[in-house]
Amino acid sequence: MKLLLNSIKNTGNILTQFIYPKICHACDGVLYTHEHIFCTKCRVNFPRTNFHWFPEDNPVTKTFWGKTIIRYGFAYLLFSKDSKTQTSLHHLKYHNKKEVAFEFGKIYGSELKESNLLNDVDYIFPVPLHKDKLLKRGFNQSLLFADGLSSVLNIPATDQFLLKTLANETQTKKNRIERWDNTKDVYTILNPEILKNKKILLVDDVITTGATIESCVKSLLISGVCSVDVASIAYTGRI
């Protein structure tokens, strides 16, 4: 009887998979039963930056030279139009596929762990969303990415210290100067005494000009944080 029930259950799962197949969130192809979120081919062929192997002298770190002080800068993937990276982030931000950000955090966390660069980090902070935008979207993709990193790196991720207290305009169509003007003085640090001399990994989904992160880093350093590292799912610049 037990074997019969298991057989019926397995048959049902196969039919469900046939009618409602699981889709790779990077190429939109059908996933095999052993695959999760991304197909094996996409996992192998993601456009990795490998910036963590030269952390002090890569395009992300250089983005902040002369603007603010960070220790290391990383990004997991390169972003380009019509790429697997763009498709994945589109599923995340516009189709509510929250598991994409967490999975990217797990994958990248495993690669960062090999470098041993973040062994001394005390907290992982996501770039925060204003409460109105968070309510509208329903989730902060940067926090989900931070949670994925945390699950592998064993560093606590929290959004309880760095807050966005002003609702500025969207950054999408702004240039570098406009992005900075749009982000300065919009972030607040709660309980700065707890963060004194702590080392923070600050994470975002995409780094373009770095203006948002720059503003967050300055707020953190003013609060007494010892050092800030930066990581993102994707980087849009050239290498």
Side-chain angles (χ1 to χ4, degrees):
M1 185 66 179
K2 186 176 181 180
L3 290 174
L4 177 62
L5 290 174
N6 286 337
S7 177
I8 293 172
K9 181 179 179 182
N10 291 333
T11 301
N13 289 336
I14 292 171
L15 288 173
T16 300
Q17 174 66 6
F18 180 77
I19 299 171
Y20 303 106
K22 295 186 297 180
I23 301 300
C24 172
H25 294 328
C27 70
D28 290 329
V30 176
L31 293 177
Y32 290 104
T33 54
H34 67 279
E35 295 176 327
H36 179 63
I37 310 300
F38 306 116
C39 68
T40 302
K41 184 177 180 180
C42 285
R43 286 177 182 267
V44 171
N45 294 318
F46 272 130
R48 292 169 172 82
T49 69
N50 292 314
F51 288 165
H52 53 288
W53 295 121
F54 44 108
E56 297 178 338
D57 187 19
N58 66 59
V60 172
T61 302
K62 289 179 179 179
T63 296
F64 302 98
W65 284 1
K67 299 168 186 172
T68 191
I69 300 172
I70 69 167
R71 184 173 63 162
Y72 305 133
F74 316 109
Y76 177 43
L77 304 176
L78 292 174
F79 182 97
S80 60
K81 189 175 181 181
D82 299 323
S83 66
K84 295 179 185 298
T85 306
Q86 185 184 45
T87 300
S88 300
L89 293 176
H90 188 87
H91 278 292
L92 168 63
K93 298 180 76 170
Y94 303 110
H95 295 291
N96 203 37
K97 300 300 182 181
K98 296 181 283 187
E99 61 271 25
V100 168
F102 187 83
E103 188 69 12
F104 273 140
K106 287 174 58 181
I107 297 171
Y108 197 33
S110 297
E111 297 187 15
L112 289 172
K113 194 170 185 176
E114 292 180 9
S115 71
N116 295 315
L117 291 169
L118 303 175
N119 291 345
D120 58 348
V121 169
D122 297 291
Y123 295 107
I124 303 175
F125 287 178
V127 168
L129 295 178
H130 186 268
K131 60 181 181 179
D132 292 342
K133 189 169 185 178
L134 182 60
L135 183 63
K136 181 178 180 180
R137 179 175 292 175
F139 64 94
N140 180 354
Q141 65 273 13
S142 297
L143 176 58
L144 296 170
F145 179 52
D147 286 339
L149 290 167
S150 175
S151 70
V152 175
L153 296 173
N154 295 315
I155 302 169
T158 176
D159 60 355
Q160 298 303 302
F161 291 97
L162 177 62
L163 303 180
K164 187 173 185 180
T165 50
L166 294 177
N168 55 344
E169 299 174 1
T170 180
Q171 298 276 75
T172 306
K173 296 182 179 181
K174 297 183 182 296
N175 61 34
R176 162 72 200 176
I177 295 175
E178 290 171 336
R179 283 173 181 251
W180 168 243
D181 286 338
N182 194 45
T183 57
K184 64 182 181 181
D185 303 323
V186 301
Y187 298 100
T188 298
I189 307 297
L190 294 183
N191 301 313
E193 65 280 0
I194 298 176
L195 301 180
K196 189 173 182 180
N197 297 322
K198 299 297 185 183
K199 296 181 179 180
I200 307 299
L201 173 61
L202 178 67
V203 302
D204 204 356
D205 57 346
V206 179
I207 294 177
T208 304
T209 66
T212 298
I213 286 180
E214 179 184 341
S215 183
C216 291
V217 170
K218 288 181 176 179
S219 296
L220 288 168
L221 293 176
I222 290 172
S223 75
V225 162
C226 176
S227 69
V228 181
D229 301 313
V230 169
S232 67
I233 297 174
Y235 171 68
T236 65
R238 296 180 179 180
I239 60 172

